[in-house]
Amino acid sequence: MKEITNYKNMRILVIGLGKSGFNAAKLLHKLGAQVTVNDLKTPKDDKIVTDLEDKGIQVITGSHPLSLLDKTELIVKNPGIPYSNVLVSAAIKQKIQIITEPELAYEILEAQMIGITGTNGKTTTTTMISLMLNQDRQKGHAYVAGNIGVPASKVAQKATSDDVMVSELSSFQLLGITKLHPHIAVLTNIYEAHTDYHGSRENYIKAKMRITMNQDENDFFVVNWDSEEWQNLSKQSHAKVIPFSRQDKIETGAYEKNGFLYYRDEKIMAAEDIKVPGSHNVENALAALTVAKLMGQTTESIVEVLKTFSGVRHRTQYVTTVNNRKFYNDSKATNMEATEKALSGFKSPIVLLAGGLDRGFTFERLIPYFKNVSKMIVFGETADLMAEAGKKAGISEIKHSKNVVSAVPLAYEMSHKGDIILLSPACASWDQYPTFEVRGDMYIDAIEKLVKKVEEEK
């Protein structure tokens, strides 16, 4: 951890008492700042507040008093809190600097940094990279951090110059950076997402591209080359652009050709040998192996990871097989692009569980991907819209369910041996669940109950 003094005695307001806010507050206190933490909600766990208050950190919950800004010199904002928030917007008017927790983490980081952003595939790519960099590693460690659920400010305090911090960075986080400078930045893809937060797709793209804004000719920008838009975006970077392509559009980076993965002119492995299913995971593998190669990892280490890595929880995650029916959890599919990729990864008949928060979209664009979907169970605010798309696709059996929990036994009853039962909602979870993780966990719990019931009936 770098010893820095620029925060000493500075009056800093941390807005948001989640993992990132909690760890940012503790780090700032360690750096000598005068820290206040504010959250509109009161945490269920009193220990969080007590832990901070015992260190002399003031904690104010239940409201956003504007008086907090009177002596504030800097704000560290939870990424999920919009800039339209009453306290945040008032701070902007007063020209108080606002950063997010990864920026703070970068300032103390001794390790080299790899940053990953994109609409889909961030977490899987981040995990693959860390596994590849740790495979047969002789010195140091590759730590995952950021939007993947591990606060960067916590990792940065223990990472040394022998280590690497592999950080998943959301568009929300990237809006609050100024100095953050990854040696390798990865753009997995950009689709339509988070326009409710950013106001427009253009603003969303601008936020994503901040990942490369501080890079120079000594750095690398790894970019998905399968869209002309993404190719053009790469021109904004001052780093060396290294492309990857599943559609065999380039041979200067990583690509898939005739069923094999290549890095430049080296054949790495057969695409079908990647353990996690789906064309989207081929893309993730290409991005990850590009980073691993740039970091000097051997082909053997890369292949070993891709042949054994079984996926990240909630992302086309294999759960279990019940009476020759395979259950998969893709709760992270909070948009149509993610569900399209999940559906493309299976050749067996699919019982699809889908639906969730209504963001004003219809689902006709999913119809071409429903070719292997034999039955559907729909739920949430978009249940009727999802069912309508299914009917147009010719799916004869579509049933409504209250939620993912009640959908599990129903899906089992509707299915046949050899079927895939797939939760891939194509929608955010917020109409029924606080996060996609909670939605996925409840789905898995329901499957475990189903397993017990099936075993008891044998």
Side-chain angles (χ1 to χ4, degrees):
M1 170 179 164
K2 291 179 183 175
E3 296 296 329
I4 60 173
T5 59
N6 53 309
Y7 292 122
K8 192 171 181 63
N9 296 319
M10 183 181 284
R11 295 185 295 269
I12 301 176
L13 175 63
V14 176
I15 305 178
L17 198 46
K19 287 181 183 179
S20 64
F22 176 75
N23 283 279
K26 291 206 295 183
L27 172 57
L28 288 164
H29 175 73
K30 185 187 289 189
L31 294 173
Q34 299 175 35
V35 186
T36 300
V37 180
N38 175 236
D39 198 307
L40 189 61
K41 297 179 181 178
T42 301
K44 294 179 182 178
D45 186 357
D46 293 339
K47 292 179 182 177
I48 295 173
V49 174
T50 303
D51 189 354
L52 295 176
E53 290 180 336
D54 286 348
K55 291 179 172 59
I57 298 170
Q58 185 180 17
V59 181
I60 298 170
T61 61
S63 65
H64 285 315
L66 293 179
S67 59
L68 288 173
L69 301 178
D70 291 346
K71 295 182 180 181
T72 295
E73 297 173 83
L74 176 74
I75 288 175
V76 180
K77 182 184 76 68
N78 179 296
I81 296 173
Y83 287 83
S84 58
N85 171 278
V86 60
L87 195 57
V88 178
S89 60
I92 293 170
K93 288 178 182 176
Q94 294 183 34
K95 297 184 178 179
I96 299 171
Q97 185 183 7
I98 300 170
I99 64 171
T100 49
E101 182 250 1
E103 173 75 4
L104 172 64
Y106 178 76
E107 291 191 71
I108 64 160
L109 181 67
E110 290 183 8
Q112 207 165 50
M113 182 180 188
I114 298 169
I116 299 93
T117 198
T119 305
N120 297 322
K122 295 186 296 296
T123 300
T124 299
T125 301
T126 300
T127 306
M128 284 180 171
I129 290 170
S130 67
L131 292 171
M132 289 175 184
L133 296 185
N134 282 322
Q135 185 74 19
D136 301 323
R137 193 181 187 91
Q138 301 300 312
K139 192 176 183 181
H141 188 81
Y143 294 100
V144 295
N147 198 50
I148 199 167
V150 184
S153 57
K154 186 175 183 180
V155 173
Q157 292 181 64
K158 64 181 178 181
T160 70
S161 57
D162 292 327
D163 301 322
V164 179
M165 187 166 80
V166 187
S167 293
E168 176 183 331
L169 297 165
S170 70
S171 59
F172 303 165
Q173 291 172 320
L174 289 169
L175 274 177
I177 67 165
T178 56
K179 300 174 185 175
L180 187 142
H181 180 165
H183 176 51
I184 302 176
V186 180
L187 178 65
T188 59
N189 48 58
I190 292 183
Y191 296 110
E192 192 79 28
H194 302 306
T195 51
D196 49 348
Y197 184 101
H198 293 287
S200 68
R201 190 172 190 275
E202 182 183 8
N203 288 340
Y204 173 59
I205 291 171
K206 285 179 180 178
K208 287 292 188 188
M209 290 302 293
R210 290 174 68 85
I211 196 170
T212 187
M213 71 179 186
N214 294 319
Q215 287 190 298
D216 57 36
E217 66 276 3
N218 298 311
D219 302 313
F220 299 96
F221 187 39
V222 178
V223 185
N224 191 330
W225 217 245
D226 289 340
S227 161
E228 187 176 347
E229 178 188 45
W230 309 335
Q231 293 175 24
N232 289 331
L233 286 174
S234 71
K235 296 174 184 176
Q236 297 178 21
S237 178
H238 297 294
K240 296 184 185 76
V241 174
I242 311 294
F244 67 93
S245 170
R246 189 175 56 80
Q247 299 173 13
D248 186 23
K249 288 190 174 183
I250 45 91
E251 293 188 359
T252 54
Y255 54 98
E256 181 186 3
K257 184 176 182 179
N258 299 327
F260 286 88
L261 306 190
Y262 288 80
Y263 182 72
R264 295 178 175 161
D265 58 354
E266 180 188 3
K267 184 184 284 188
I268 304 295
M269 65 184 291
E272 66 181 8
D273 289 339
I274 299 172
K275 188 169 183 180
V276 284
S279 58
H280 58 301
N281 280 315
V282 173
E283 288 184 7
N284 297 335
L286 289 168
L289 75 86
T290 301
V291 173
K293 280 291 187 179
L294 291 172
M295 293 293 289
Q297 279 297 82
T298 65
T299 299
E300 291 75 20
S301 297
I302 291 167
V303 171
E304 177 63 23
V305 168
L306 293 179
K307 283 187 173 181
T308 57
F309 173 59
S310 58
V312 178
R313 192 172 179 88
H314 309 303
R315 294 156 177 85
T316 326
Q317 170 201 3
Y318 169 69
V319 181
T320 191
T321 299
V322 184
N323 199 12
N324 205 24
R325 295 145 169 95
K326 291 184 178 180
F327 282 82
Y328 283 85
N329 166 30
D330 192 36
S331 183
K332 179 60 173 68
T334 57
N335 55 50
M336 284 183 272
E337 287 84 5
T339 294
E340 289 168 4
K341 291 185 176 183
L343 292 171
S344 298
F346 298 101
K347 295 179 181 178
S348 300
I350 298 169
V351 179
L352 176 64
L353 283 59
L357 182 73
D358 188 350
R359 278 178 160 156
F361 302 124
T362 57
F363 298 93
E364 282 78 7
R365 61 172 287 178
L366 288 175
I367 291 173
Y369 298 88
F370 284 164
K371 58 185 177 182
N372 288 333
V373 177
S374 58
K375 299 178 177 73
M376 286 180 69
I377 300 173
V378 296
F379 43 78
E381 290 179 354
T382 61
D384 290 339
L385 292 168
M386 193 68 71
E388 187 63 29
K391 290 174 186 174
K392 289 180 180 178
I395 299 170
S396 57
E397 194 169 355
I398 302 172
K399 294 190 177 181
H400 284 65
S401 179
K402 183 178 179 182
N403 50 42
V404 294
V405 174
S406 56
V408 168
L410 181 58
Y412 179 74
E413 290 171 13
M414 293 169 66
S415 65
H416 301 288
K417 289 184 177 181
D419 284 356
I420 300 292
I421 298 175
L422 170 67
L423 170 66
S424 190
C427 302
S429 62
W430 303 324
D431 59 330
Q432 293 184 310
Y433 305 98
T435 64
F436 71 82
E437 291 97 340
V438 172
R439 178 171 63 186
D441 288 340
M442 293 189 73
Y443 174 66
I444 292 170
D445 289 344
I447 294 169
E448 290 173 353
K449 289 177 182 177
L450 174 69
V451 170
K452 290 179 183 178
K453 182 179 178 183
V454 171
E455 288 177 349
E456 289 170 357
E457 291 175 351
K458 285 184 178 178

